[in-house]
Amino acid sequence: MKKTLLTPILLLLSGCNITVLNPKSDTGQDQAFLIWFSFSLMMIVLVVVFILFARFVWKYRETSFNKDDLPKDVKGNKKLELIWTLSAIFLLVVLAVPTIAITYNQSPELSSTEDKEEAVHVNVIGQQFYWTFTYENGKTSTNKLVIPADKTVTFHLKSKDVIHSFWIPQLAGKTDVLPGKELIYEIVNPQAGTYEGKCAEFCGLDHANMQFTTKVVSTKEYEKWLKK
Ligand SMILES: [Cu+2]
């Protein structure tokens, strides 16, 4: 049973290289935690509901002893109504606490400004159908992003035409890239390596090819690369 289910799932998953659940930055790890956390809560609810469902279907099935019996009406049962109202509220609060904490923490406008001076800033321009990156010393690169490892990297995202979406699945979630309004997005402590990046908002005929490579290198290599 397990194998028959696993094989198609593995085949399907191996076809895509979107490794959101294998994050390589603090930002991505916090986001993956939220995915697992909400998924686990959901599974608890699902399992409890299915067990109760199976139990009741069995318990109240029609047998020769209880033919035409109607179950007792539970309308107005305060205890039951309190249980299912409060447990839903409880689950929502449990889900809200880490979600709000991480969302605020990851919002450059709202989070503390401790390491802001240390941050490396990159201007990102999205346009049909490529990405241009401009670094602090004025150097630009197209479809190739180079950032230093273990630092906070602040992206200033702008579009020249339509709405795009900036996405490096292994480092952090998607952010819209809008014409006429700059959005700021931070990736904290990316690990060294090469990651694929893409546009995650259908933006025209060649949208699928609007991809870029992200190279996360040591600070030394980054400075050397900037001077080149
Ligand atoms: Cu695009």
Side-chain angles (χ1 to χ4, degrees), residues 169-189:
Q170 269 194 288
L171 296 186
K174 306 162 184 175
T175 318
D176 274 354
V177 182
L178 308 172
K181 180 170 169 56
E182 180 184 296
L183 291 188
I184 297 171
Y185 193 59
E186 268 177 12
I187 292 180
V188 179
N189 294 339

Side-chain angles (χ1 to χ4, degrees), residues 140-206:
T140 63
S141 62
T142 302
N143 287 346
K144 185 189 178 190
L145 170 66
V146 180
I147 49 174
D150 304 317
K151 285 212 167 182
T152 298
V153 185
T154 308
F155 296 97
H156 301 260
L157 307 157
K158 266 191 246 167
S159 167
K160 274 200 172 164
D161 36 48
V162 298
I163 299 176
H164 300 277
S165 180
F166 180 74
W167 191 28
I168 310 167
Q170 269 194 288
L171 296 186
K174 306 162 184 175
T175 318
D176 274 354
V177 182
L178 308 172
K181 180 170 169 56
E182 180 184 296
L183 291 188
I184 297 171
Y185 193 59
E186 268 177 12
I187 292 180
V188 179
N189 294 339
Q191 293 168 23
T194 306
Y195 311 104
E196 62 175 288
K198 56 184 82 190
C199 177
E201 176 90 43
F202 181 68
C203 58
L205 278 182
D206 222 13

Side-chain angles (χ1 to χ4, degrees), residues 50-154:
F50 268 75
I51 288 175
L52 288 176
F53 174 73
R55 193 174 166 247
F56 288 133
V57 164
W58 182 253
K59 190 175 170 189
Y60 295 107
R61 74 196 185 282
E62 193 177 85
T63 61
S64 48
F65 300 106
N66 68 357
K67 230 171 189 285
D68 301 327
D69 261 12
L70 278 177
K72 217 171 81 192
D73 194 353
V74 293
K75 193 175 171 233
N77 186 325
K78 281 224 176 73
K79 200 171 133 200
L80 276 180
E81 285 186 1
L82 268 179
I83 289 175
W84 61 57
T85 307
L86 290 182
S87 49
I89 292 174
F90 174 74
L91 284 177
L92 284 180
V93 170
V94 169
L95 185 62
V97 170
T99 306
I100 293 172
I102 289 174
T103 308
Y104 269 69
N105 188 31
Q106 292 198 347
S107 167
E109 284 95 352
L110 299 172
S111 62
S112 69
T113 49
E114 271 168 45
D115 1 279
K116 284 287 151 65
E117 274 126 69
E118 294 256 310
V120 170
H121 294 263
V122 181
N123 284 317
V124 180
I125 304 267
Q127 64 193 99
Q128 290 164 323
F129 295 96
Y130 57 96
W131 298 94
T132 311
F133 305 102
T134 309
Y135 304 85
E136 276 161 283
N137 68 349
K139 181 179 174 126
T140 63
S141 62
T142 302
N143 287 346
K144 185 189 178 190
L145 170 66
V146 180
I147 49 174
D150 304 317
K151 285 212 167 182
T152 298
V153 185
T154 308

